[in-house]
Amino acid sequence: MLTRREFLELSGATLLLLSLNQLSFATDTEEVFPQGVASGDPTQSGIVLWTRINPKVHRRFQSNLLVQVADNPEFKEAFNRSIPASYISESQDFTVRVDLEGRLRPNKTYYYRFIYAGVPSMLGRFKTLPYRAREVSIAFVVCQNYADGYYTAYSHLAKEELNMVVHLGDFIYEKLYGPSRVPGRDLSLPSGEKVCVNLEDYRYLYRTYLSDPNMRLARAMHPFVNTWDDHEFLNDYYYDYEKEIWGYFVDGHPVGEDRAKILKLRQDAVKAWIEYIPSKVEVDMSNKDPLKWVKIYRDFNLGRLGKLIVLDERSYRERPPCDKRFGAKGCPEQEKTSMLGREQLSWFREKLLQRGFKWKVVANSVQFSRSQTDGKFGSLDAWEGYAGERRKILQWLKEKDMKNLILLSGDRHASMVAEVPDSYEKPSQVLGAEFLTPALSSINAMEGGWWKRDWSNYTSLEELQKAEMSQNPWIKHINSINCWGYSIITLKPDRAECTIYSVNKNKREAEKLIDARFVYRPGVLERV
Ligand SMILES: [Fe+2]
């Protein structure tokens, strides 16, 4: 429900859309389009639209699907495209993508809906990217374990005025960690296993996660740009370049170390992601080199105001060094391991140093900032394990005198804000800022209690956080105690403003609170 303040603040068009979409739940619309609608990967002249038809309905009606797009929610002078019934098939799990590249104008709000057998879908909305804009707002989210909490944060995110939502990954969790932490969110994989072992398992998770009304509302109201983290495939996975196979850290996983089984599972995980995430990524599943099957790193021009660089920090990374991933003292291998892989790293360098953009915004799934408390690193699974490559990136920026780096990060299941200095050993200037968004619903350190394993000398998490901040002075804010939600970064010509919102995931309805708000101007990060 909307509060009176929200009602007064929201634009007429947003209010109309929200109320129509909320009415569509529990009607024929829900029956025909059980996973709603979505849009993804906007450009100045295009977008990818997405929906899924209920297989039972399609088997019965075998109807064509109509998509309508207009610059008004009444669909006056809409352009229509018909998708043949044969295109809706089991082979894609009845999902449908429509690429509108070249059909749209820049910096413009469009509305869309699908119509199947006379039944209209919920209404979708998106904005194309601008060439010239004074302001761009991007929400970013991560880690949405369905069984760990409600998507209450998405009900607030749906109401925000945004250019796009960047999803940093862990859109699904391939492993079931036990009974759900809130009522009504238990999961049961078709295979009967506790981890995904085939395509049907992955598809089941996407379908179930997307059955959540708040999730559907957020995807209908804003275009998404997705990257993945590890759980879209396997926990903490990496690539073993010698064996030409992905390694992972899940005890007793049914695929074991069988190369053929792991490669098949990878194909299943990637296929399900592509079916359910509207995006424009390069796919070549028949390539002999598994690393060439899909390329999801890509970039988006936000006009002169910025470039969004989306990284894939899992597919090409080498095994995390030093054997212990959390609470490790470190080892010389940290200097040698690659997070991005050779090709992606050289692509990243080119995009990062390209001139003509005020801000370089990086969708960087895992924590970049160094964090060592009492001589032990927080996570060598994050950039800490790839410190040599991190140093290289900082060096490039320093040499070019660039101080415009904005890192959108996740994975830690906590909120965090930090300066990005030119060097973590001898910091002399600030080159950018890292904003780490909390999990949307996954468990945090307070719930999991995993911090006690390596820092048992602290009596509370609060105390440990204080120690972490004082020993790593670039870190200006951490909350791994009571924060779940989403963040919004607003880019302006002279500054980037970031607000981290906290929404209680244990309640189906909860207000949004401000966890932290910071402003970054080139070289200076300030709490406001
Ligand atoms: Fe996660």
Side-chain angles (χ1 to χ4, degrees):
M1 289 298 283
L2 293 170
T3 63
R4 188 177 149 72
R5 207 181 81 208
E6 282 173 335
F7 187 81
L8 293 172
E9 280 175 356
L10 292 173
S11 71
T14 299
L15 272 175
L16 174 73
L17 222 57
L18 278 168
S19 50
L20 287 173
N21 278 336
Q22 268 153 357
L23 282 175
S24 78
F25 298 135
T27 61
D28 286 354
T29 297
E30 176 112 344
E31 168 99 37
V32 179
F33 303 93
Q35 279 73 32
V37 300
S39 66
D41 283 18
T43 65
Q44 276 78 5
S45 54
I47 193 99
V48 178
L49 302 182
W50 178 96
T51 193
R52 177 174 183 268
I53 308 297
N54 182 340
K56 278 188 204 145
V57 173
H58 188 56
R59 284 192 185 109
R60 183 160 161 219
F61 289 93
Q62 287 296 316
S63 175
N64 291 350
L65 177 67
L66 186 72
V67 58
Q68 295 189 309
V69 184
D71 61 6
N72 60 84
E74 295 83 32
F75 292 93
K76 279 182 233 147
E77 295 177 40
F79 81 78
N80 300 330
R81 187 180 288 181
S82 178
I83 295 142
S86 59
Y87 186 83
I88 307 163
S89 73
E90 167 79 58
S91 68
Q92 305 293 317
D93 205 19
F94 302 88
T95 60
V96 176
R97 273 152 304 283
V98 183
D99 186 352
L100 296 181
E101 190 52 57
R103 297 300 306 257
L104 309 173
R105 283 186 284 146
N107 207 22
K108 210 170 153 49
T109 299
Y110 288 93
Y111 302 83
Y112 64 95
R113 68 181 169 199
F114 292 87
I115 300 174
Y116 184 88
V119 177
S121 70
M122 58 195 296
L123 302 185
R125 179 187 66 171
F126 63 85
K127 200 170 181 177
T128 48
L129 296 183
Y131 283 116
R132 277 177 296 276
R134 301 293 295 168
E135 198 174 301
V136 168
S137 279
I138 301 172
F140 52 111
V141 293
V142 77
C143 296
Q144 52 180 58
N145 193 325
Y146 182 87
D148 281 357
Y150 299 119
Y151 292 165
T152 319
Y154 271 135
S155 73
H156 290 284
L157 185 144
K159 295 169 204 154
E160 303 282 0
E161 299 291 341
L162 302 169
N163 290 78
M164 63 164 75
V165 178
V166 169
H167 200 299
L168 297 165
D170 286 359
F171 193 97
I172 57 159
Y173 280 72
E174 92 296 1
K175 184 174 173 196
L176 310 186
Y177 289 88
S180 69
R181 289 178 170 261
V182 290
R185 306 279 273 192
D186 278 322
L187 296 164
S188 159
L189 294 172
S191 66
E193 298 280 358
K194 292 294 172 207
V195 285
C196 287
V197 293
N198 57 35
L199 178 60
E200 251 331 289
D201 285 348
Y202 287 111
R203 281 173 167 174
Y204 160 82
L205 289 178
Y206 285 101
R207 284 200 296 265
T208 312
Y209 280 49
L210 287 172
S211 69
D212 182 287
N214 289 329
M215 171 87 258
R216 279 183 278 151
L217 202 57
R219 291 229 303 182
M221 297 298 282
H222 307 295
F224 273 55
V225 169
N226 289 67
T227 184
W228 55 41
D229 198 20
D230 53 335
H231 288 288
E232 284 84 353
F233 174 33
L234 274 167
N235 185 39
D236 292 347
Y237 74 90
Y238 59 89
Y239 196 72
D240 183 329
Y241 284 81
E242 267 173 34
K243 292 184 187 159
E244 296 184 327
I245 190 176
W246 284 278
Y248 59 93
F249 296 90
V250 186
D251 289 337
H253 195 294
V255 299
E257 289 186 29
D258 185 306
R259 184 167 189 271
K261 281 187 188 166
I262 292 178
L263 292 182
K264 175 71 176 70
L265 192 69
R266 172 69 174 181
Q267 291 211 331
D268 293 343
V270 169
K271 181 164 167 50
W273 190 84
I274 288 166
E275 285 171 353
Y276 281 88
I277 304 293
S279 63
K280 282 187 87 164
V281 298
E282 289 174 30
V283 186
D284 178 14
M285 298 295 253
S286 55
N287 199 301
K288 280 195 187 116
D289 181 355
L291 285 176
K292 297 259 168 23
W293 285 348
V294 63
K295 192 175 99 177
I296 69 161
Y297 60 86
R298 58 207 193 279
D299 64 310
F300 297 82
N301 290 345
L302 312 171
R304 282 184 213 140
L305 206 49
K307 179 185 274 294
L308 170 67
I309 305 169
V310 179
L311 296 178
D312 176 350
E313 299 186 342
R314 290 288 170 186
S315 303
Y316 317 96
R317 62 158 61 194
E318 293 175 278
R319 185 186 167 96
C322 323
D323 286 332
K324 193 166 184 285
R325 282 170 298 138
F326 306 102
K329 286 205 158 42
C331 61
E333 277 66 42
Q334 277 165 278
E335 293 301 315
K336 297 178 200 151
T337 38
S338 175
M339 162 81 80
L340 300 181
R342 207 155 26 97
E343 269 180 41
Q344 184 178 202
L345 184 66
S346 88
W347 171 87
F348 182 47
R349 182 178 193 276
E350 186 198 317
K351 299 294 173 189
L352 197 61
L353 302 183
Q354 202 176 333
R355 297 284 180 184
F357 300 93
K358 186 75 206 167
W359 299 103
K360 289 293 166 63
V361 183
V362 181
N364 165 67
S365 297
V366 302
Q367 181 175 327
F368 189 82
S369 298
R370 179 173 180 160
S371 168
Q372 199 177 17
T373 309
D374 302 343
K376 289 183 280 190
F377 291 104
S379 168
L380 293 182
D381 193 64
W383 275 99
E384 215 73 81
Y386 306 82
E389 198 160 287
R390 179 174 63 188
R391 182 173 299 109
K392 226 185 257 180
I393 293 165
L394 295 177
Q395 202 56 38
W396 295 337
L397 291 170
K398 194 179 177 183
E399 279 165 16
K400 301 282 180 192
D401 198 24
M402 292 174 87
K403 295 181 176 170
N404 61 353
L405 177 69
I406 300 287
L407 296 170
L408 312 181
S409 312
D411 175 56
R412 184 172 165 168
H413 299 196
S415 67
M416 194 197 80
V417 180
E419 292 170 344
V420 179
D422 54 341
S423 153
Y424 287 104
E425 290 74 29
K426 280 189 187 166
S428 67
Q429 53 178 315
V430 176
L431 306 180
E434 174 165 42
F435 300 104
L436 201 141
T437 194
L440 195 119
S441 61
S442 305
I443 60 166
N444 63 16
M446 189 68 172
E447 291 174 283
W450 52 69
W451 59 279
K452 293 175 192 157
R453 194 178 47 201
D454 297 302
W455 283 277
S456 54
N457 50 324
Y458 290 92
T459 51
S460 73
L461 189 51
E462 224 153 24
E463 223 180 277
L464 175 60
Q465 287 183 179
K466 270 187 200 153
E468 184 181 348
M469 285 174 68
S470 73
Q471 294 176 39
N472 302 275
W474 39 85
I475 301 180
K476 304 299 179 191
H477 172 82
I478 308 176
N479 183 355
S480 46
I481 296 172
N482 56 3
C483 184
W484 302 269
Y486 62 97
S487 306
I488 295 180
I489 184 106
T490 301
L491 307 174
K492 295 181 178 176
D494 65 329
R495 61 191 189 277
E497 300 166 351
C498 182
T499 306
I500 299 172
Y501 291 105
S502 176
V503 182
N504 190 341
K505 57 134 184 185
N506 294 310
K507 294 185 175 174
R508 286 187 187 274
E509 284 191 25
E511 56 186 337
K512 71 170 185 188
L513 305 169
I514 293 175
D515 172 59
R517 186 170 264 172
F518 280 80
V519 171
Y520 178 72
R521 291 180 181 82
V524 183
L525 176 67
E526 282 176 309
R527 191 189 280 267
V528 287

